[in-house]
Amino acid sequence: MIASNAITIFHLVIGIAFFERASLAAYDGCLLRKSLNDCPCALMESYDFIIIGGGTAGSVIASRLSEIQIWNVLLLEAGEHESFQSRIPFFPQLLEKTRMDWNYTTTRQTRTCQSVGGYCSYPRGRVLGGSSAINYMVHMRGLRADFDRWEARGNPGWAFESIHRYFHKAEKFIPYDRHGRGFESGGYLPVNENEPSWLTPFFTSALGEFGLLRTDLNEGTGGGYMPMQVNILNGARVSGYDAYVRPIQERPNLHILTSALVTKILFENGTAVGVEFEKDEELYKIQATKEVVLSAGTINSPQILMLSGIGPVDHLRQTGITIVRDSPVGLSLQDHIGLMAFFRLDKVAPGRGQDAIASFKEYLTNRRGVLTSPFGGLVVALVNSSYSSLDHPDMQFHLGVGENQDICYINGFVSRPKSRGILTLRSSNPKDPPMIDPNYLSSKHDTSIMKEVVDFIFRITMSNSMRELGTKYMAHFHPKCENASEYTSCLIKRYGQPFFHPVATCKMGPGTDPYAVVDPQLRVHGIQRLRVADASVMPHIPSTNINAATAMIAEKASDLIKDEHLGPG
Ligand SMILES: Cc1cc2nc3c(=O)[nH]c(=O)nc-3n(C[C@H](O)[C@H](O)[C@H](O)COP(=O)(O)OP(=O)(O)OC[C@H]3O[C@@H](n4cnc5c(N)ncnc54)[C@H](O)[C@@H]3O)c2cc1C
Ligand SMILES: *[C@@H]1O[C@H](CO)[C@@H](O)[C@H](O)[C@H]1NC(C)=O
Ligand SMILES: *[C@@H]1O[C@H](CO)[C@@H](O)[C@H](O)[C@H]1NC(C)=O
Ligand SMILES: *[C@@H]1O[C@H](CO)[C@@H](O)[C@H](O)[C@H]1NC(C)=O
Ligand SMILES: *[C@@H]1O[C@H](CO)[C@@H](O)[C@H](O)[C@H]1NC(C)=O
């Protein structure tokens, strides 16, 4: 859509070239080794801890474990460093199908994504920073009730009251107007309030017409709206890697290896003793003397477990993998599904809108303006469907602006879906993409709420505040529904939009839970010295975006590891 504007592309390229030169220096240095040979601090045969995956969680854990000077830590990442495009918040969609993406698609879905044959595109970060280097940067913690449910289902220590301090430990909150929550907390991950645009008050008063109030949704107590809170600093994206590892990358006890594809975890007698990985077409085996920490994300952590022999026995037998332990890996995949719609603003007052070139100039000179907003996102709202109440909202909406500021969009998703899917291996080859089947909308409950999501998107645009702007639906973004008799159903079936928040493929739970892969200390059931710590361990999907909760999990995992090996305190 936005990318189709030739002038815009031209300016983007100029902008990137300009910044790429200015920032290259930051990428030199010991840690981003192109090969083992030009690494001044040589790879060792053995480390205390090996962390698999340098994404949101892996970055947190690498940073926290290497605080202990007597521990040697190795971080293995399949991708390389991020490109400069990833810095500009407005263009995350340009990062899809690049070298920073694993380029996955789902298996054929029957109830959505029919405009692309049922194969929904499924980006995942393959880069230092992982999916946080290609995502939309929206910072939402989840509802208190989400975490209370985790604890209630047999995971002591995970209720909101217990984990709250880990959100606090992770975040460095910087309110745009320095009022809001009123403090700057001391964590690594910047959480900024979005710069307001002229459009922001129209969005907020539209939401107000539905009785919603402005509130800090990150308190997790219920519905309402707020200006987006985002992981952006001075107009640039901050990935988990930028936040947690860059400031400490000189630590001599932390080794980081990029372009290192982990192919399996090595076991001896039910104990994880090391990792096998491929780099530059050579296989390496490195020992871990204390623990292996698997942080390859919800798609690749279960893939690596199964490649290593931990998974459902029948499935492993089919693929010819030697079984280490029967485990329900991959069996309870969950994700958010929703819809995105675009609207023309026909009555934008002179002086309010701005063309793309002016937006670029403003960004390049001041690092301000619309391009500092993630895909133009300005406002986020949590709203209840008819199945819930405002203190436990089950729909989330984002309201944003196009780069010429003469169009806007609203997207929304079903935030507590009941559908569960499955993740399996295509084969025993580590380079084959896993089969991702989120099984979207298999629960009737989800489909009913999805209809309410779509309805609410259109209801917002019919509010007095949005009508004042001459808001007109741009149906041509959904051409295959042009003549549909049941328009809402057609939109859902053809144009449903995954929100890329997969969780629960290595679900946390007690030994009595038939779907639990890890225990509440994140240790793989039945295996010694192996933990999983990333979004895959979430037992139920949070009612919002999930990157913040992933950082929280990783902060807590780091403390669990320190407690176990050093003693509490
Ligand atoms: C397009 C998109 C938009 C999103 N928008 C938002 C948003 O606005 N807000 C939000 O909260 N969340 C958002 N998310 C979700 C969020 O970014 C992720 O949930 C979060 O980053 C997950 O963190 P993780 O540590 O579990 O995995 P990741 O961050 O994905 O990290 C996994 C890492 O492991 C590496 N890896 C995988 N396999 C191997 C292997 N075999 N060997 C070595 N390394 C390996 C990967 O390359 C990657 O770097 C979005 C996600 C996407 C894809
Ligand atoms: C994804 O596709 C891009 C563009 O074709 C390519 O450069 C990149 O290497 C691909 N990623 C992977 C993991 O294959
Ligand atoms: C294997 O592990 C079991 C239980 O952890 C232990 O009893 C046994 O002695 C171990 N065997 C070897 C060969 O290490
Ligand atoms: C939200 O819940 C309230 C009752 O708490 C209800 O009156 C309202 O209709 C619900 N909203 C929607 C969109 O159904
Ligand atoms: C909708 O109907 C018009 C007029 O009959 C036709 O030209 C167009 O191709 C139809 N669109 C689709 C998607 O079927």
Side-chain angles (χ1 to χ4, degrees):
M1 183 250 337
I2 291 145
S4 64
N5 182 326
I7 294 178
T8 302
I9 291 285
F10 172 75
H11 276 81
L12 180 62
V13 169
I14 302 278
I16 289 164
F18 175 81
F19 272 115
E20 191 88 59
R21 289 184 61 187
S23 58
L24 264 181
Y27 299 133
D28 290 340
C30 159
L31 297 167
L32 298 167
R33 297 151 198 160
K34 292 272 177 320
S35 78
L36 296 181
N37 297 336
D38 61 33
C39 165
C41 19
L43 191 71
M44 304 191 299
E45 280 176 11
S46 151
Y47 288 81
D48 294 300
F49 294 92
I50 300 179
I51 302 162
I52 303 172
T56 299
S59 297
V60 174
I61 296 168
S63 181
R64 293 300 185 190
L65 295 189
S66 62
E67 286 171 350
I68 309 296
Q69 290 173 20
I70 55 167
W71 284 350
N72 287 317
V73 178
L74 175 64
L75 177 63
L76 295 171
E77 166 55 46
E80 282 280 333
H81 62 76
E82 79 284 12
S83 64
F84 192 75
Q85 285 95 314
S86 76
R87 292 270 168 247
I88 308 177
F90 199 86
F91 297 107
Q93 72 280 20
L94 295 187
L95 308 174
E96 292 180 22
K97 302 282 192 293
T98 67
R99 66 169 174 82
M100 296 168 61
D101 185 2
W102 287 91
N103 301 340
Y104 294 143
T105 48
T106 64
T107 61
R108 202 169 73 78
Q109 303 293 296
T110 54
R111 298 172 188 87
T112 193
C113 292
Q114 297 304 305
S115 68
V116 287
Y119 300 96
C120 322
S121 174
Y122 213 72
R124 293 271 90 200
R126 185 182 200 259
V127 55
L128 287 169
S131 298
S132 72
I134 66 163
N135 74 4
Y136 285 46
M137 295 155 275
V138 182
H139 187 88
M140 294 287 284
R141 288 173 172 178
L143 301 179
R144 285 166 187 253
D146 295 329
F147 307 104
D148 292 349
R149 172 158 78 152
W150 292 7
E151 172 149 319
R153 302 290 159 87
N155 297 296
W158 290 92
F160 187 81
E161 276 316 303
S162 309
I163 52 93
H164 176 251
R165 65 192 178 99
Y166 289 113
F167 281 120
H168 213 266
K169 188 172 184 183
E171 296 165 354
K172 182 178 177 63
F173 186 70
I174 308 161
Y176 181 77
D177 56 8
R178 309 260 156 192
H179 295 297
R181 225 180 292 173
F183 62 86
E184 284 191 25
S185 52
Y188 277 107
L189 186 64
V191 181
N192 225 314
E193 220 162 73
N194 236 359
E195 183 183 323
S197 130
W198 65 269
L199 197 52
T200 306
F202 287 89
F203 284 153
T204 58
S205 65
L207 294 164
E209 289 178 41
F210 295 92
L212 300 168
L213 298 176
R214 179 174 172 164
T215 161
D216 185 351
L217 299 173
N218 276 329
E219 289 299 321
T221 47
Y225 65 82
M226 66 174 187
M228 252 178 207
Q229 294 181 12
V230 289
N231 303 129
I232 293 173
L233 191 62
N234 301 325
R237 172 200 296 273
V238 181
S239 73
Y241 184 83
D242 296 327
Y244 274 89
V245 182
R246 275 193 211 286
I248 57 99
Q249 60 185 5
E250 299 306 326
R251 279 184 196 154
N253 63 332
L254 174 61
H255 287 181
I256 300 167
L257 207 57
T258 54
S259 298
L261 179 79
V262 171
T263 47
K264 63 166 73 145
I265 298 163
L266 305 168
F267 299 101
E268 259 171 37
N269 194 18
T271 300
V273 294
V275 161
E276 180 190 89
F277 66 91
E278 192 188 302
K279 184 174 167 68
D280 302 330
E281 285 165 35
E282 275 194 58
L283 268 190
Y284 296 81
K285 287 184 182 172
I286 306 280
Q287 284 182 339
T289 54
K290 290 195 166 61
E291 284 192 34
V292 173
V293 182
L294 182 53
S295 301
T298 299
I299 304 306
N300 301 104
S301 283
Q303 179 195 26
I304 293 168
L305 281 182
M306 289 190 277
L307 289 170
S308 313
I310 299 178
V313 276
D314 291 344
H315 178 51
L316 295 186
R317 272 200 200 107
Q318 278 164 13
T319 44
I321 291 171
T322 308
I323 292 154
V324 172
R325 166 140 184 131
D326 185 15
S327 174
V329 173
L331 296 187
S332 30
L333 175 61
Q334 267 192 308
D335 192 13
H336 288 140
I337 180 84
L339 186 87
M340 171 118 162
F342 292 92
F343 302 88
R344 232 177 37 233
L345 304 173
D346 281 349
K347 293 191 210 153
V348 176
R352 271 179 173 161
Q354 187 178 40
D355 68 21
I357 296 172
S359 299
F360 269 103
K361 278 197 189 131
E362 192 180 3
Y363 186 77
L364 293 176
T365 48
N366 301 323
R367 289 276 189 127
R368 295 195 54 173
V370 69
L371 300 193
T372 65
S373 297
F375 193 59
L378 296 170
V379 173
V380 58
L382 299 182
V383 184
N384 64 289
S385 75
S386 60
Y387 292 83
S388 191
S389 58
L390 199 55
D391 57 9
H392 201 205
D394 53 0
M395 309 190 290
Q396 180 173 326
F397 298 89
H398 302 128
L399 295 81
V401 62
E403 100 210 88
N404 284 323
Q405 304 195 28
D406 54 358
I407 68 169
C408 75
Y409 69 84
I410 304 175
N411 65 39
F413 60 81
V414 179
S415 58
R416 266 193 311 287
K418 295 197 164 144
S419 307
R420 294 245 182 197
I422 179 167
L423 186 132
T424 49
L425 296 178
R426 206 169 294 263
S427 79
S428 61
N429 180 352
K431 291 186 180 165
D432 268 354
M435 310 241 273
I436 306 166
D437 179 8
N439 205 9
Y440 290 122
L441 302 173
S442 55
S443 148
K444 290 216 170 67
H445 166 265
D446 297 0
T447 306
S448 307
I449 295 180
M450 181 80 173
K451 287 186 177 141
E452 295 196 28
V453 166
V454 177
D455 283 350
F456 198 72
I457 288 173
F458 287 101
R459 283 169 68 196
I460 294 171
T461 64
M462 288 183 290
S463 64
N464 293 328
S465 315
M466 294 307 291
R467 278 211 297 244
E468 215 179 294
L469 295 168
T471 306
K472 296 258 161 48
Y473 173 55
M474 299 168 85
H476 65 274
F477 281 104
H478 300 132
K480 290 179 178 164
C481 292
E482 200 183 347
N483 307 320
S485 56
E486 301 214 11
Y487 197 71
T488 299
S489 301
C490 179
L491 285 181
I492 294 170
K493 185 150 193 191
R494 302 231 180 224
Y495 296 102
Q497 169 67 57
F499 274 71
F500 316 128
H501 299 154
V503 300
T505 49
C506 305
K507 183 178 180 284
M508 164 171 71
T512 50
D513 177 345
Y515 290 99
V517 174
V518 299
D519 72 10
Q521 277 72 49
L522 308 182
R523 297 172 297 212
V524 174
H525 281 297
I527 300 288
Q528 311 296 310
R529 298 194 344 215
L530 175 59
R531 247 177 258 255
V532 184
D534 56 26
S536 71
V537 304
M538 299 186 193
H540 297 274
I541 196 163
S543 311
T544 64
N545 320 63
I546 63 166
N547 191 59
T550 307
M552 175 278 288
I553 288 170
E555 285 280 13
K556 182 167 165 111
S558 305
D559 269 9
L560 290 170
I561 292 169
K562 287 176 178 175
D563 285 355
E564 184 167 324
H565 295 273
L566 300 172

